[in-house]
Amino acid sequence: MKNPLLARAFAFALTCVLLTAFWSTPSSAAPIVVGGKNFTEQQLMTEITTQLLEAKGFEIVKKDGMGSAVLRQAQENGQIDLYWEYTGTSLITYNKVSERLSPEDTYRKVKELDAAKGLVWLNPSRANNTYSLAMNADEANKQGIVSISDLAQAIRSGKALRFACNSEFYARPDGLRPLEKSYGFDFARAQLKRMDTGLTYQALKDRQVDIALVFATDGRVPAFNFVILKDDKGFFPSYALTPVVRKAVLDANPSLAPILNALSEKLDAPTMARLNASVDVSRKSLREVARDFLTQSGLIG
């Protein structure tokens, strides 16, 4: 280019283009490892997060289907960069806090405790996937059972109600025995049916049991016309679904937090129940459900 003024103008324009491309691209060339646990809601959140971040220009490695303790340890060790965790799980299982806290205090406590381990809790969603007790709606209405206190009174009065739960809940510090103690009742041994988590829903639907342990945001609750008994004594802690990211990854990718917080803002209990039902009841693929949600919510074009 013979004209020096034109040459300098061209060079300046090219520099601007390159700088714009640099600042609009995720600042870390390293792929981000997105993890998840081994049940529907977690598999969905892993797929949703993967599709969202890929649409924003990040390179993602997805590792779902992991056990809870293994996943948490992998994140602490730097093998998993981010996943969606539940506030109550971190409070009780990972940080061994037995004190009963409000949802707000639970979030603040785990945020503080996990910060010391290099983990950052971003904005919690309104999806609280806490443990719950459920009954078939017609049977609960027939027996006048609305709350766990009503259930306790029915059992104390001599009603032989069958209860299905998984083995973990039977032994957890926020599980069956402390629940019974808090509400002042005991299931007779013959009335307790321990089974895999997913089977409790089918057992209740088929009337093999009268009450079942469920998760509040599971899509089968509304699909099977179950009613969740009110935890009127506030026994179960809050399990707010929240993105948790390694601080080193956030420092390297400053655009990551606002993207994940925007996703968190879109999630509440009815939304998660609907998404979970799309997989568990309607048998749609995780990929399809994730893509439709992201598009319909305006998070991707």
Side-chain angles (χ1 to χ4, degrees), residues 139-254:
E139 189 62 26
N141 184 61
K142 177 182 174 182
Q143 299 204 37
I145 297 177
V146 175
S147 66
I148 301 179
S149 287
D150 295 335
L151 172 65
Q153 180 57 41
I155 292 173
R156 286 196 299 266
S157 69
K159 288 187 177 179
L161 299 175
R162 300 160 298 174
F163 175 56
C165 71
N166 59 32
S167 296
E168 181 183 1
F169 182 74
Y170 185 85
R172 280 179 68 106
D174 57 341
L176 180 60
R177 295 311 180 195
L179 173 71
E180 290 176 324
K181 182 177 180 180
S182 177
Y183 278 94
F185 74 99
D186 289 291
F187 282 113
R189 182 179 294 273
Q191 307 306 317
L192 279 174
K193 312 295 180 184
R194 280 185 276 179
M195 57 188 70
D196 290 342
T197 300
L199 298 180
T200 63
Y201 297 84
Q202 195 63 42
L204 183 60
K205 182 175 182 286
D206 293 342
R207 314 281 171 151
Q208 296 171 6
V209 295
D210 304 292
I211 310 106
L213 178 73
V214 300
F215 292 107
T217 59
D218 195 292
R220 288 167 289 187
V221 172
F224 293 166
N225 199 28
F226 295 162
V227 61
I228 288 178
L229 303 185
K230 182 179 180 182
D231 180 15
D232 50 309
K233 291 191 175 183
F235 172 79
F236 292 115
S238 173
Y239 286 86
L241 182 63
T242 308
V244 183
V245 191
R246 292 198 302 115
K247 185 178 184 301
V249 173
L250 282 179
D251 289 344
N253 299 276

Side-chain angles (χ1 to χ4, degrees), residues 35-50:
K37 302 183 188 183
N38 55 359
F39 55 92
T40 298
E41 181 166 290
Q42 283 280 310
Q43 292 169 329
L44 257 175
M45 290 311 305
T46 307
E47 181 63 28
I48 288 170
T49 304
T50 296

Side-chain angles (χ1 to χ4, degrees), residues 44-45 47-49 51-52 84 125-127 241 259-268 270-276 278-279 284-301:
L44 257 175
M45 290 311 305
E47 181 63 28
I48 288 170
T49 304
Q51 289 191 28
L52 175 61
W84 292 74
S125 74
R126 289 163 291 148
L241 182 63
I259 294 171
L260 293 173
N261 284 337
L263 172 54
S264 190
E265 177 64 26
K266 299 286 186 180
L267 303 175
D268 57 20
T271 298
M272 287 312 308
R274 175 175 56 81
L275 294 174
N276 290 331
S278 295
V279 176
K284 294 182 179 180
S285 70
L286 292 167
R287 186 173 183 82
E288 178 186 3
V289 174
R291 184 187 64 245
D292 289 348
F293 166 73
L294 287 168
T295 302
Q296 293 166 10
S297 62
L299 290 168
I300 63 174

Side-chain angles (χ1 to χ4, degrees), residues 84-105:
W84 292 74
E85 186 54 275
Y86 303 95
T87 51
T89 300
S90 179
L91 184 76
I92 296 170
T93 305
Y94 306 142
N95 287 296
K96 311 301 181 185
V97 176
S98 58
E99 181 185 2
R100 297 291 176 198
L101 300 175
S102 69
E104 296 77 17
D105 287 342

Side-chain angles (χ1 to χ4, degrees), residues 62-97:
K62 184 175 70 170
K63 293 185 178 181
D64 59 3
M66 302 174 71
S68 185
V70 172
L71 178 58
R72 167 68 179 219
Q73 192 61 51
Q75 188 178 45
E76 290 188 19
N77 292 341
Q79 298 163 304
I80 296 292
D81 294 323
L82 80 91
Y83 77 99
W84 292 74
E85 186 54 275
Y86 303 95
T87 51
T89 300
S90 179
L91 184 76
I92 296 170
T93 305
Y94 306 142
N95 287 296
K96 311 301 181 185
V97 176

